[in-house]
Amino acid sequence: MVDTSSKPPFTGDSAAISRLVAEVRRGRVPSYAPSLSRANQALADLLIHDPGRLDPAAPDPVFATGPRPRAEEPVPFLPRERLLTRQEQRTATECFARALADGALTSGPAVAEFEDALADFLGLPHVVGTGSGTDALVIALQAVGVGHGDEVIMPANSFAATENAVWARGATPVLVDVDPDRHTLDPDLVEAAVGPRTRAILPVHLYGRLAEVRALARVARRHGLRVVEDACQAIGVTGVGRYTDAAVLSFNPYKNFGLTGKAGAVVTRDEEVAARARRFSYHGFDPKRKNVKEDGYGLNARMDNSTAAVGLGLLPRLTLNNYRRAYLAGRYLDDCAEVAAGGSVLLPESGPDHAWHLFGVRIPAGRAARDAVRDHMRSTGRVETDLYYPLLTHRQQTPLHRELFSRVTLPRTEHLHDTVLHLPLHNNLSLTEQDRVIEALHAAVRATLH
C-alpha cells in the first residue's frame, strides 16, 4: 500500500484549482493524495497517473485542440453544440436511457445520491436539488423567512432570475451599488441601505467571482438579517455557502457544470433551512410521506431523477472543466497584458476566488469605444463577443420597474455595464480559437482606440 499521508489532498475548489494552474505553468506539480470526491474524479486521476496532460503543450493534453478553424469561420461565443464533449454527450445519453428504462424519470434514488455527492464536494452538510436555479433562489428565500412586504438588498447587474425570485416571494428588491474593483455588492453601501423592512441580503457572485460574503455576513448579523448567495455562476468557488444562511447553484446547460436541462440546488449549513427548502420544493409535503403536508403550501420544484442521473454521470469532470477554464483565463490575462498596459483595456483580477464563468474585459473610454472594439472583433477578426447583462434591473422599462426604480442611480454598476465586454470562454474552447480571440482584441484596440 502506498503511503499518501504526507501528500497534500486535492480539494478541487477554486483555491486548489488556482494553485494547480500555477504549478502546471511552472512545470512542478506535486504528488497529490487521491481525492474521494466524485466531482474531482477525472482531474484527480490525471494528477495521480498522468499530470503531464494538464499542460496544453503536452502531446495529448486535456485541452480541446481540434482542427484549426478556417479563417472565414467565426469563433463563436458559446456554441450550443459544444457545451458537452462527445464523450460527455454519450455519458448523458446512457444515464438518461437507464432512468428511462427504469421508469424513474421524476422520482427516484439518483436525486439523493446526486445531492450527497455534491454536498461532499462542497464540504457542506445539506444540498436540496431543484428544478432550476430560479426555483432554488425562490426556495432559499422562503426557507430563510423572506415573505410578503419584506425588502431584499441585491445588485442590479444580474440575470432577471435574481430579482424575479424576490418578486416571487412577495418582497421588493432594494438595489445597491457595487464595489468598483470586485463589481459585487459593496458591504458599506449595503449597510447604509438597511431599513425597517429589510429581511435579507442577496449577493451575486458575478461572472463566477466570490462576493464579499464575510463582510456581508457581518452586516447581516449586526442587523438581524439573513444572507442568501446567488452562486449560480460560481460552483466550486472557495467559500460559497460557508459564511451565510444558504447559497444557490444552477446547472443550466450554459453554466460551468451544465446538465441537459434546467436544474439547480440550495446548499446550506443550516439543518432547518434545508428542511424548509426540501418541504417547500415539493408541495409542502413531509419528505418521508408523500401527500402528507407539513407546510400549508409549496412548489412543484424538485430536481427530476432523470436529471440527477445525468448529473451523477457528468459530475466526475466538474473540477477538470473548472481547471480548463482557470487555465484559459490565465492565458487571456497573460496574452492580453500588452494591450492592457496602456490603460485602454482593463483586465479582470486573477485570484483564488473565481470560477471563471465569464471573462470580461473593460474598455474604460465608455460605451461607444466598447461597441467599436466589439464591432471590429466581429467584422474583421470574425470573433463573437457578448454583453452580460444587456439591461440592468433598474433600466428595465416595465411599469413596475419605472415606478420603483425611476430615481435609482448606481454609478459604479452603470459604468461597469457601459464598459464591459465578454470574450469567449467555455469548457471546450480550443487554444487555437483563444489565440484568434486574443489577436482580434489586439487588432481592434489598435484600430479603434489608438
Side-chain angles (χ1 to χ4, degrees), residues 263-344:
V266 177
V267 300
T268 180
R269 301 170 299 154
D270 189 310
E271 185 175 3
E272 178 54 31
V273 168
R276 295 187 68 186
R278 201 170 295 282
R279 292 193 301 266
F280 191 62
S281 69
Y282 194 43
H283 297 294
F285 291 160
D286 178 340
K288 297 180 180 179
R289 295 185 297 170
K290 183 177 179 180
N291 294 318
V292 177
K293 281 195 167 188
E294 285 193 338
D295 291 340
Y297 74 103
L299 305 177
N300 183 19
R302 289 195 310 174
M303 176 180 285
D304 285 335
N305 189 73
S306 55
T307 302
V310 171
L312 286 168
L314 297 179
L315 193 60
R317 291 180 61 87
L318 192 160
T319 58
L320 177 59
N321 283 330
N322 274 356
Y323 166 79
R324 285 174 42 79
R325 283 177 177 265
Y327 200 104
L328 291 168
R331 287 187 91 233
Y332 269 140
L333 291 170
D334 286 349
D335 293 349
C336 295
E338 180 181 349
V339 76
S344 56

Side-chain angles (χ1 to χ4, degrees), residues 391-411:
L391 279 178
L392 298 170
T393 295
H394 64 302
R395 288 179 168 173
Q396 296 284 353
Q397 292 303 306
T398 73
L400 176 64
H401 289 79
R402 287 195 296 269
E403 176 184 356
L404 190 61
F405 303 127
S406 61
R407 297 184 180 181
V408 171
T409 57
L410 304 168

Side-chain angles (χ1 to χ4, degrees), residues 190-214:
V190 167
E191 185 148 34
V194 173
R197 294 169 57 196
T198 307
R199 179 65 174 173
I201 304 169
L202 182 55
V204 176
H205 303 321
L206 190 69
Y207 311 148
R209 188 178 189 188
L210 192 73
E212 294 188 74
V213 287
R214 294 193 196 192

Side-chain angles (χ1 to χ4, degrees), residues 199-243:
R199 179 65 174 173
I201 304 169
L202 182 55
V204 176
H205 303 321
L206 190 69
Y207 311 148
R209 188 178 189 188
L210 192 73
E212 294 188 74
V213 287
R214 294 193 196 192
L216 291 170
R218 289 193 292 269
V219 172
R221 285 195 296 271
R222 285 195 290 269
H223 296 276
L225 307 178
R226 311 300 292 270
V227 182
V228 173
E229 304 168 49
D230 183 338
C232 288
Q233 299 180 347
I235 190 166
V237 172
T238 307
V240 164
R242 293 188 176 274
Y243 311 104

Side-chain angles (χ1 to χ4, degrees), residues 51-395:
R53 290 188 61 206
L54 298 173
D55 186 342
D60 181 28
V62 298
F63 294 83
T65 55
R68 177 181 290 272
R70 294 193 299 271
E72 68 274 13
E73 291 182 345
V75 176
F77 181 76
L78 188 58
R80 291 182 298 177
E81 70 279 6
R82 291 165 55 195
L83 295 175
L84 298 176
T85 65
R86 296 298 184 192
Q87 179 58 53
E88 288 170 330
Q89 291 175 25
R90 286 191 291 271
T91 297
T93 300
E94 292 165 0
C95 292
F96 182 82
R98 286 194 292 271
L100 182 63
D102 292 340
L105 295 176
T106 55
S107 299
V111 176
E113 187 178 351
F114 178 75
E115 291 171 342
D116 290 345
L118 194 59
D120 176 64
F121 167 61
L122 298 172
L124 295 168
H126 307 290
V127 172
V128 180
T130 64
S132 70
T134 307
D135 286 341
L137 281 167
V138 176
I139 292 164
L141 290 172
Q142 188 274 347
V144 301
V146 172
H148 183 76
D150 291 335
E151 292 181 344
V152 177
I153 294 174
M154 58 168 279
N157 53 342
S158 185
F159 185 58
T162 310
E163 62 167 299
N164 284 343
V166 176
W167 297 122
R169 291 301 308 142
T172 300
V174 173
L175 303 179
V176 168
D177 216 344
V178 297
D179 178 273
D181 298 319
R182 300 186 72 86
H183 307 143
T184 58
L185 277 180
D186 184 318
D188 292 334
L189 297 180
V190 167
E191 185 148 34
V194 173
R197 294 169 57 196
T198 307
R199 179 65 174 173
I201 304 169
L202 182 55
V204 176
H205 303 321
L206 190 69
Y207 311 148
R209 188 178 189 188
L210 192 73
E212 294 188 74
V213 287
R214 294 193 196 192
L216 291 170
R218 289 193 292 269
V219 172
R221 285 195 296 271
R222 285 195 290 269
H223 296 276
L225 307 178
R226 311 300 292 270
V227 182
V228 173
E229 304 168 49
D230 183 338
C232 288
Q233 299 180 347
I235 190 166
V237 172
T238 307
V240 164
R242 293 188 176 274
Y243 311 104
T244 62
D245 298 286
V248 167
L249 303 174
S250 170
F251 311 125
N252 181 289
Y254 296 97
K255 295 296 194 293
N256 290 31
F257 177 63
L259 304 183
T260 51
K262 294 184 184 299
V266 177
V267 300
T268 180
R269 301 170 299 154
D270 189 310
E271 185 175 3
E272 178 54 31
V273 168
R276 295 187 68 186
R278 201 170 295 282
R279 292 193 301 266
F280 191 62
S281 69
Y282 194 43
H283 297 294
F285 291 160
D286 178 340
K288 297 180 180 179
R289 295 185 297 170
K290 183 177 179 180
N291 294 318
V292 177
K293 281 195 167 188
E294 285 193 338
D295 291 340
Y297 74 103
L299 305 177
N300 183 19
R302 289 195 310 174
M303 176 180 285
D304 285 335
N305 189 73
S306 55
T307 302
V310 171
L312 286 168
L314 297 179
L315 193 60
R317 291 180 61 87
L318 192 160
T319 58
L320 177 59
N321 283 330
N322 274 356
Y323 166 79
R324 285 174 42 79
R325 283 177 177 265
Y327 200 104
L328 291 168
R331 287 187 91 233
Y332 269 140
L333 291 170
D334 286 349
D335 293 349
C336 295
E338 180 181 349
V339 76
S344 56
V345 175
L346 300 179
L347 301 178
E349 292 183 3
S350 178
D353 58 354
H354 210 312
W356 297 108
H357 175 62
L358 294 169
F359 190 94
V361 301
R362 293 177 57 212
I363 312 298
R367 181 190 291 262
R370 186 271 313 276
D371 292 348
V373 169
R374 187 183 187 201
D375 290 343
H376 192 280
M377 291 182 71
R378 181 178 61 247
S379 62
T380 303
R382 305 288 286 166
V383 169
E384 296 177 359
T385 59
D386 211 337
L387 309 176
Y388 282 71
Y389 294 92
L391 279 178
L392 298 170
T393 295
H394 64 302
R395 288 179 168 173

Side-chain angles (χ1 to χ4, degrees), residues 10-88:
F10 183 71
T11 57
D13 59 353
S14 63
I17 294 290
S18 180
R19 287 193 299 271
L20 179 59
V21 169
E23 290 160 356
V24 170
R25 299 185 72 164
R26 290 195 303 266
R28 297 193 300 271
V29 179
S31 178
Y32 282 99
S35 172
L36 300 179
S37 171
R38 191 165 185 164
N40 287 340
Q41 183 178 318
L43 186 49
D45 285 348
L46 287 171
L47 286 172
I48 296 168
H49 302 296
D50 198 2
R53 290 188 61 206
L54 298 173
D55 186 342
D60 181 28
V62 298
F63 294 83
T65 55
R68 177 181 290 272
R70 294 193 299 271
E72 68 274 13
E73 291 182 345
V75 176
F77 181 76
L78 188 58
R80 291 182 298 177
E81 70 279 6
R82 291 165 55 195
L83 295 175
L84 298 176
T85 65
R86 296 298 184 192
Q87 179 58 53
E88 288 170 330

